[in-house]
Amino acid sequence: MTRNLLVALSLFVLTACTNTPDWDYDKSVEFANYKTFAWSPETDFDKGAENYQISELMEKRVRNAIQNEMGLHGFKLVDAQKADVMVNFHASVDTKLDVDTFNTSYTARWNYWGVGWHTQTQAREYEVGTLVIDIVDRASNQLVWRGAKEGRLRKNQSPEKRTESVNNTVKDILANFPPKPQH
């Protein structure tokens, strides 16, 4: 019984930690030619959002985090007409269901035939947020790079914790921008 519970908890902890970003990009693009960026006019972070965590406050945090990370990667924010690439981003929130089933005990009855496991199932609803960052070549208006990361949303966080979470998420997403050449 204890062993099964430990295995279930270990798997839960491991899956919670493996939330890595997803990237895709156009391999024909020479990313080294890009040095400047601007905000895409299509960026509408909270358009149609029904979740209270997607707001103007969160949009400001995301913009600041992207601007900081792009600067660390050698990109300069300029007017849209002078930019090499345009940055667009959006977020979504989905409700997911986590179901765990595990055996809690084993029983055997001697006064009649029978052996069995007692099984316990727990279901929990939780919210998962996804942040997507797009990099669009301004001259061709073509998407050249996309990064995304999803993670379980935490409620009742302080503004400082929310900012820290956004900064870490954006840093993780942009860790592969510009993409490293494959050898």
Side-chain angles (χ1 to χ4, degrees):
M1 173 176 79
T2 304
R3 183 173 175 258
N4 288 340
L5 185 57
L6 288 173
V7 169
L9 286 173
S10 297
L11 286 174
F12 176 74
V13 168
L14 286 175
T15 57
C17 296
T18 60
N19 195 4
T20 58
D22 186 29
W23 301 293
D24 194 10
Y25 61 94
D26 184 341
K27 291 183 114 183
S28 68
V29 171
E30 184 59 52
F31 287 91
N33 293 334
Y34 298 143
K35 303 289 182 213
T36 59
F37 78 99
W39 299 111
S40 172
E42 282 90 39
T43 299
D44 193 357
F45 183 72
D46 59 354
K47 180 181 180 185
E50 296 178 11
N51 187 283
Y52 79 94
Q53 293 195 54
I54 298 180
S55 66
E56 290 177 18
L57 294 170
M58 193 59 78
E59 178 178 1
K60 186 176 180 181
R61 288 182 184 106
V62 172
R63 277 186 190 270
N64 288 339
I66 291 172
Q67 186 171 340
N68 289 338
E69 281 301 312
M70 292 292 282
L72 291 173
H73 291 258
F75 286 81
K76 183 179 178 186
L77 179 63
V78 297
D79 290 333
Q81 300 82 358
K82 298 177 184 174
D84 297 324
V85 294
M86 306 298 285
V87 176
N88 191 4
F89 59 93
H90 60 277
S92 65
V93 175
D94 297 310
T95 301
K96 295 204 176 183
L97 186 63
D98 190 16
V99 179
D100 292 321
T101 301
F102 53 93
N103 297 320
T104 56
S105 64
Y106 176 78
T107 59
R109 302 275 184 181
W110 302 114
N111 57 350
Y112 61 90
W113 290 96
V115 175
W117 290 97
H118 290 265
T119 303
Q120 183 175 355
T121 301
Q122 293 180 333
R124 293 171 301 284
E125 263 191 4
Y126 61 96
E127 291 182 325
V128 172
T130 304
L131 178 62
V132 178
I133 301 174
D134 291 332
I135 307 292
V136 177
D137 182 283
R138 186 189 58 81
S140 68
N141 200 31
Q142 296 295 308
L143 179 68
V144 294
W145 186 92
R146 171 173 273 186
K149 184 175 181 183
E150 74 174 24
R152 188 175 249 172
L153 294 180
R154 307 276 186 245
K155 295 185 179 185
N156 302 320
Q157 286 187 318
S158 69
E160 294 80 13
K161 278 290 191 190
R162 290 178 196 268
T163 300
E164 178 184 342
S165 178
V166 166
N167 289 344
N168 290 335
T169 299
V170 168
K171 181 179 182 175
D172 287 349
I173 294 171
L174 291 177
N176 190 34
F177 181 80
K180 315 309 183 258
Q182 300 293 321
H183 298 287

